[in-house]
Amino acid sequence: MSDNAPTPQDDADRIRLKRLAKLQGAIASSSPASSSAAATPTASTSAIATPAATSTPVAGHSASIAAPHPVASPVVAPKPKPIPRPSVLAQTPPPAPRPASGLAAKKKAVPKLDLSAWEHETIGGILKVTLSREVAEKSGYDIVWLKNLAQELESEGVSNPRLNMDLLDRLLIARLELNPQSMTDDLEYLPVLVSLPPQQTVFEYLVGCWKRLNSAKSAVMKKGYAPADSLQALDQLEKIRQLVISYSGYTLQDPEMFPQP
C-alpha cells in the first residue's frame, strides 16, 4: 500500500470540513434578511413619531393669537331666610282642684222610713185591696175596693181608715169572701165584682200575695234605710208572710172555706 492512500482520519476531517462549509454558507445567506428586518421597525417607529412632531404649534402663530378674556358670572342675589313661625302649643286644661286632705267626704243621706205610710202602701200592694172607692177607680178596679169592710169601720167610728197591721187579718178575710159569680143589686159595687178574675182560686190568689210580698222585701233591702227602720219593715213583712201561709193551709185543708170559681 502506498503512502498517499487516504486514511480514516482523513475521511473524517474531510466530512467535518464539508459540514463547516455548509454552515458558513447558511449563516451568510441569512444575515442580509435579518439586517433588513432590523431596519424595518426603526422606519415604522419614525413614521409613527412624525405626526406627533407635526402637531407641535409654530412659535410665530401661537404668539399672534390673543388669549380669551374671562367671562364674568352673573351675580345671584341671596335668598331671604324664612322667618320661623312660633309653634302653637296645645293648651292643656288646668287640673281639677283637689279637695283638702283634711276634709272628710260627705256621707250619703240615709232615707227616712215613714212606717205608717209604708204600711198603708205595702199592705194594699201585696193584698191588692183598698178601703177607698177613688183608689179602686183609678186602678181600673185592679185594686179591689172592700166596700163592706169600709162601712163596718165607719160604723165603728173610724173615718178614712188607713191600711195597717191591726187591720191585716180583717182585710185578707174580706178579700177572700168576695165571690165573682155572685149577683148584686148594688150598682156602685158591681164593677168591683165584674173586675175580679173569674177563674182564680183562693189558693192562686194567695200565691200571688206571696210573690208580691217577696218583691216588697227586696225593695226594702235596696232602699238603704237605717238598720233600725229596715228591721222594723222586715218584721212587718214577716207578719204578713205568716198570715198568708196560714190561710193557704186553711184553704188546702178545707177548700170550701171561701168561695171558689
Side-chain angles (χ1 to χ4, degrees):
M1 181 178 296
S2 64
D3 296 333
N4 294 329
T7 62
Q9 183 65 34
D10 294 335
D11 292 336
D13 292 338
R14 189 171 54 253
I15 293 170
R16 183 171 58 82
L17 291 174
K18 287 181 179 181
R19 289 179 178 176
L20 289 174
K22 288 181 180 181
L23 289 174
Q24 289 177 357
I27 292 170
S29 61
S30 62
S31 60
S34 61
S35 61
S36 62
T40 302
T42 305
S44 62
T45 304
S46 62
I48 294 171
T50 301
T54 57
S55 62
T56 304
V58 181
H61 291 285
S62 62
S64 62
I65 299 173
H69 295 284
V71 179
S73 59
V75 179
V76 180
K79 294 182 179 180
K81 295 182 179 180
I83 301 174
R85 295 182 180 180
S87 59
V88 180
L89 299 178
Q91 296 181 357
T92 57
R98 296 181 179 180
S101 58
L103 297 178
K106 293 183 179 180
K107 294 183 179 180
K108 187 178 180 180
V110 179
K112 180 66 177 177
L113 176 63
D114 185 350
L115 187 60
S116 177
W118 178 84
E119 284 184 357
H120 177 77
E121 181 181 356
T122 302
I123 293 173
I126 293 175
L127 302 183
K128 280 196 170 185
V129 295
T130 182
L131 297 175
S132 172
R133 177 184 176 183
E134 290 76 10
V135 174
E137 289 178 347
K138 288 181 180 179
S139 68
Y141 293 99
D142 182 53
I143 304 297
V144 178
W145 176 33
L146 302 177
K147 181 181 178 181
N148 295 334
L149 180 59
Q151 291 176 347
E152 289 179 8
L153 294 173
E154 188 176 356
S155 64
E156 295 173 3
V158 181
S159 59
N160 298 325
R162 295 175 65 87
L163 307 183
N164 53 54
M165 299 303 296
D166 295 335
L167 296 176
L168 182 61
D169 194 20
R170 297 175 68 179
L171 290 169
L172 183 56
I173 292 175
R175 171 61 183 86
L176 294 177
E177 287 179 345
L178 293 179
N179 186 1
Q181 298 178 355
S182 64
M183 301 299 295
T184 180
D185 296 333
D186 189 355
L187 298 179
E188 186 181 39
Y189 198 60
L190 184 61
V192 176
L193 298 177
V194 173
S195 300
L196 293 174
Q199 301 299 324
Q200 186 183 58
T201 64
V202 174
F203 184 77
E204 290 173 347
Y205 166 75
L206 293 173
V207 170
C209 293
W210 173 273
K211 293 179 179 179
R212 291 187 289 271
L213 186 146
N214 289 333
S215 299
K217 184 177 180 180
S218 299
V220 170
M221 301 299 293
K222 292 179 180 179
K223 283 290 185 179
Y225 294 120
D229 292 341
S230 297
L231 290 175
Q232 194 172 7
L234 294 175
D235 183 58
Q236 303 294 63
L237 290 174
E238 180 63 21
K239 292 178 181 179
I240 300 174
R241 188 181 73 87
Q242 293 293 339
L243 187 65
V244 171
I245 291 175
S246 298
Y247 278 93
S248 298
Y250 297 153
T251 302
L252 292 176
Q253 292 176 2
D254 186 5
E256 302 299 328
M257 179 180 293
F258 300 103
Q260 300 285 353

